[in-house]
Amino acid sequence: MLKNDFVNNGFGHLDQLLSFDEVVELRKLYDVLLEDKKLTAGLRSDLSGNSSNSEAVEKITQIMLPSSIEPQLLEKQVYTKALAWARDLLGDDMALDFDMLINKAPFTDTETPWHQDAAYWIDLPDKRSVSCWIALDDVYEENGCMWFARRHDQKLLEHSHKIAGGALSVQAFPENGKPLPLKAGGCSFHDGFTLHYSKGNSTNGQRRALILNFRPQEMIKLERERGMDHTGKRKFRKSDDAL
């Protein structure tokens, strides 16, 4: 079912990738990274565009490459399980390109606009990619679950920043977008060209997600040769033009 949905629509989901105990262990490591701004300096940003004021509450915290700061993450079964699914979806040459944490803080009510992840990446000859978005809390519309729109092709739409330093957004609002609520431990898989979005968190709890991105090993090697390691100043492709 997952593979069929992914091939036909550009996304799919599993009701349960992780057990409750696995979720609890990941939350412990996640919260240490979330709370320690010094430890995560240089890999941390606020996707709301609110990064200039260090005293302000981060609305949408993004921490790139958390496993480079906390190697214990790589020992968790989530990485092995997600990789197995990535290989089932796109081939045995799939490997982990990068990981990241994205948290929506309580009562911040800040949306992540519709966008395609490929807009953040350099153009590569082999465009296979899949991101596994793992819910570490129950997620639903009110706290910012993912919304997806069916992918029709591998065309990169025009993107821009609504707010300087914030997340990218496309100009057109998809008419066929639907929310995908998940229980903690559930996950979704989406292609780099699949449009997705999430509402803000208007609840009193965190909305914690761990995202693992996979692509062919040769494409990861090519990225690194071109200086792309998913750190540093965020660049983007406005459309199908190269970075």
Side-chain angles (χ1 to χ4, degrees):
M1 184 67 175
L2 170 59
K3 190 167 186 177
N4 183 66
D5 288 343
F6 184 83
V7 170
N8 292 326
N9 301 321
F11 68 94
H13 77 283
L14 297 173
D15 289 331
Q16 185 176 28
L17 177 70
L18 304 176
S19 69
F20 179 74
D21 288 343
E22 288 173 312
V23 169
V24 170
E25 287 302 309
L26 283 171
R27 284 175 180 170
K28 292 176 183 177
L29 296 174
Y30 193 112
D31 288 346
V32 169
L33 295 170
L34 192 61
E35 293 167 10
D36 196 332
K37 292 186 178 182
K38 289 184 178 180
L39 183 65
T40 56
L43 296 172
R44 185 184 191 111
S45 62
D46 185 346
L47 292 178
S48 73
N50 195 29
S51 303
S52 59
N53 184 353
S54 60
E55 300 301 319
V57 173
E58 292 176 339
K59 297 178 180 180
I60 309 174
T61 303
Q62 180 188 60
I63 300 174
M64 296 301 300
L65 308 183
S67 60
S68 69
I69 308 168
E70 182 45 84
Q72 285 187 60
L73 280 169
L74 294 173
E75 300 172 8
K76 301 302 180 185
Q77 285 295 308
V78 61
Y79 285 77
T80 303
K81 291 179 177 181
L83 176 59
W85 279 104
R87 288 178 171 172
D88 182 65
L89 293 173
L90 289 175
D92 290 340
D93 59 342
M94 302 301 286
L96 179 68
D97 186 4
F98 64 90
D99 55 356
M100 64 177 169
L101 310 181
I102 297 183
N103 179 66
K104 292 200 170 189
F107 299 124
T108 47
D109 203 15
T110 304
E111 73 172 17
T112 303
W114 284 101
H115 68 283
Q116 298 163 294
D117 289 341
Y120 289 105
W121 307 336
I122 61 174
D123 193 17
L124 294 167
D126 187 337
K127 302 185 186 307
R128 284 179 294 154
S129 69
V130 58
S131 293
C132 180
W133 193 99
I134 302 133
L136 299 186
D137 298 288
D138 292 350
V139 293
Y140 39 93
E141 288 190 54
E142 290 78 11
N143 72 348
C145 74
M146 294 281 273
W147 289 56
F148 293 102
R150 184 180 180 187
R151 185 206 62 205
H152 295 289
D153 53 38
Q154 288 190 318
K155 180 181 178 181
L156 184 61
L157 304 176
E158 184 175 354
H159 286 70
S160 63
H161 286 290
K162 281 186 175 180
I163 301 173
L168 290 175
S169 64
V170 292
Q171 304 303 308
F173 184 88
E175 296 180 355
N176 61 339
K178 294 182 179 180
L180 181 59
L182 293 167
K183 294 291 187 181
C187 71
S188 59
F189 291 86
H190 66 273
D191 178 89
F193 293 90
T194 301
L195 283 163
H196 54 288
Y197 155 89
S198 63
K199 292 183 178 181
N201 182 2
S202 59
T203 73
N204 63 359
Q206 306 280 6
R207 193 231 61 181
R208 293 166 287 191
L210 169 66
I211 299 95
L212 309 181
N213 177 267
F214 303 93
R215 70 180 71 247
Q217 182 65 54
E218 285 300 310
M219 293 302 98
I220 297 172
K221 180 181 177 182
L222 184 57
E223 277 186 324
R224 302 301 182 264
E225 289 173 353
R226 294 182 179 178
M228 178 65 163
D229 65 358
H230 304 283
T231 66
K233 185 177 180 180
R234 184 180 295 115
K235 298 180 180 180
F236 71 99
R237 289 190 285 155
K238 290 184 178 180
S239 60
D240 276 321
D241 295 329
L243 278 169

